[in-house]
Amino acid sequence: MTVNQKKFPPCFADLESVFPMGDEGLRQTPESCMPCCYKTDCLRKAMADRGGIAVRQEMVDRAYESGRVGFFERWSRKKALSAQKQKKDKSL
């Protein structure tokens, strides 16, 4: 019996390759990733890892700076993300 294994490119799920910080301080997927058949799975895997938590923390900070969330909402979200980060650290 053979197992079907996908051969992923070397950049697969590397957050800094598939979702790098742009010139304006926002993350965006590079054009080179658009034709890749693995782009959706790749980005999902990258965001599910520890680096994805850091991206979510960046999003919370931007929301706070723009006034879309208040101090307590920011504090609550960052505390929850920190707990997720610690949980992932323990599981490694």
Side-chain angles (χ1 to χ4, degrees):
M1 183 169 144
T2 60
V3 177
N4 291 337
Q5 292 186 353
K6 294 179 182 178
K7 178 118 171 119
F8 296 115
C11 60
F12 186 81
D14 178 19
L15 190 64
E16 292 306 316
S17 295
V18 298
F19 203 44
M21 186 70 72
D23 295 334
E24 297 176 3
L26 299 174
R27 293 186 177 270
Q28 53 190 340
T29 303
E31 288 294 321
S32 60
C33 290
M34 294 306 167
C36 181
C37 64
Y38 302 117
K39 70 178 178 269
T40 303
D41 293 333
C42 176
L43 190 54
R44 282 185 183 148
K45 173 79 170 122
M47 289 297 291
D49 289 341
R50 193 170 185 267
I53 294 172
V55 172
R56 289 186 190 93
Q57 288 175 331
E58 292 169 8
M59 293 168 59
V60 169
D61 288 338
R62 279 196 311 271
Y64 177 70
E65 289 170 7
S66 69
R68 290 186 293 142
V69 297
F71 173 80
F72 289 111
E73 180 71 18
R74 175 183 174 262
W75 174 81
S76 175
R77 290 182 184 184
K78 294 222 20 163
K79 184 172 174 112
L81 289 168
S82 178
Q84 287 178 5
K85 194 176 197 179
Q86 288 178 350
K87 186 176 179 181
K88 284 198 182 283
D89 287 346
K90 286 183 181 179
S91 67
L92 295 176

